[in-house]
Amino acid sequence: LTAGVHGNELNGIPVIQRIFKEIDINELSGSIVGVPVINVPSLLRKKRRFIDGTDLNHIMPGKPNGTVSQVYAWRIVNKIVKHFDYLLDLHTASNGRINSYYIRADMSVSRVRKMALLQNAQIIVHNPPSDGTLRGTAAEMGIPAITLEVGNPNRFQKGMIRDGLTGLHNLLGYLNMTSSEVEEIDEETILCKKSYWIYTDGGGILTVFPQVTEIVKKGDVIANLRNVFGDLIKEYLAPEDGVVIGRSTSPINQTGGRVLHLGIIDDK
């Protein structure tokens, strides 16, 4: 279990703290490794990126003789992660955005698919990982891995933490590591075959209308952009049917800024 790859993503920390407090090690079969904070320097600075301005989750597995961030990433992978049999990497949204509780996983791999479904998430996105992420690096090493996006940055959210904890207990029970019974989900998880962000093509004051987990239809107005005087510059329409995985909450938006993260629902 890893969290804090980005220094402003906090919800994963208490998830790992609580799982260790709730498990009776005398009844545990196997071992659980918890790394509450991968990116310690950035947590202390309350920053997303590493001390040289690099996003650690874009440069995995790093290099043993590279830049300071590359060496740090390489040591995380080779001293810790390579010894895992499974990886659950906990994240949140970044600054100025909010997320649903969703999973990124390669749903074409049976063990990974089962790991994802056991999390009882609101949304699961099929996302084969070959992208320099910690999850992608683990997968390339033959380690089944998923990313849990547990809410919003720079805060602790009790509901999200509780949901993340339930998913971990479900997986431990399924693997017969504990006697936990699998808790069924109240609402059916939305499965997405892909997802992408919609970006602005101009700057201004942005208002995003749909909320996370809301279903939108092609042509729906999802946001508008106004100038500093309040005049409407542009309306943004949903390019196709989908579900809102995450969205911008920052009204001040520059050209190329994020509007919302749209998941395309798998109808199979």
Side-chain angles (χ1 to χ4, degrees), residues 156-192:
F156 293 136
Q157 296 170 281
K158 291 182 179 179
M160 289 288 186
I161 293 165
R162 184 170 56 249
D163 289 343
L165 198 61
T166 297
L168 298 191
H169 277 300
N170 279 352
L171 180 59
L172 293 172
Y174 173 77
L175 295 174
N176 296 315
M177 294 178 68
T178 67
S179 58
S180 299
E181 294 185 5
V182 174
E183 183 175 317
E184 299 296 333
I185 192 169
D186 293 330
E187 298 182 11
E188 187 174 355
T189 299
I190 299 172
L191 302 180
C192 295

Side-chain angles (χ1 to χ4, degrees), residues 217-238:
K217 297 294 184 181
K218 181 178 179 178
D220 286 353
V221 177
I222 56 173
N224 67 31
L225 197 66
R226 296 180 182 272
N227 63 23
V228 72
F229 303 106
D231 302 318
L232 181 65
I233 301 172
K234 183 170 182 176
E235 289 185 328
Y236 290 89
L237 309 181

Side-chain angles (χ1 to χ4, degrees), residues 96-99 197 207-212 244-249 259-261:
R97 307 197 292 269
I98 58 173
N99 271 347
W197 277 92
T207 302
V208 181
F209 301 116
Q211 300 302 311
V212 293
V244 179
I245 297 171
R247 62 188 291 273
S248 174
T249 57
V259 178
L260 61 76
H261 186 187

Side-chain angles (χ1 to χ4, degrees), residues 74-150:
W74 188 88
R75 289 177 179 175
I76 290 293
V77 169
N78 286 275
K79 292 180 179 290
I80 302 173
V81 175
K82 78 172 186 179
H83 302 290
F84 291 175
D85 296 306
Y86 297 87
L87 169 66
L88 287 83
D89 188 28
L90 290 93
H91 287 257
T92 74
S94 187
N95 291 330
R97 307 197 292 269
I98 58 173
N99 271 347
S100 55
Y101 171 37
Y102 83 97
I103 307 297
R104 290 200 300 273
D106 187 346
M107 298 295 278
S108 67
V109 179
S110 58
R111 280 196 295 173
V112 174
R113 181 182 181 89
K114 187 63 179 180
M115 290 171 66
L117 291 171
L118 285 166
Q119 301 310 306
N120 290 358
Q122 294 169 303
I123 300 169
I124 297 175
V125 177
H126 172 57
N127 180 219
S130 56
D131 48 7
T133 63
L134 188 59
R135 174 175 67 101
T137 294
E140 290 167 359
M141 299 168 72
I143 301 168
I146 62 175
T147 299
L148 288 72
E149 293 282 354
V150 193

Side-chain angles (χ1 to χ4, degrees), residues 48-85:
R48 176 179 177 81
R49 294 172 178 263
F50 200 63
I51 53 177
D52 63 353
T54 301
D55 187 331
L56 285 184
N57 215 34
H58 287 169
I59 63 165
M60 298 290 178
K63 296 179 181 179
N65 56 353
T67 64
V68 61
S69 54
Q70 289 171 334
V71 172
Y72 192 93
W74 188 88
R75 289 177 179 175
I76 290 293
V77 169
N78 286 275
K79 292 180 179 290
I80 302 173
V81 175
K82 78 172 186 179
H83 302 290
F84 291 175
D85 296 306

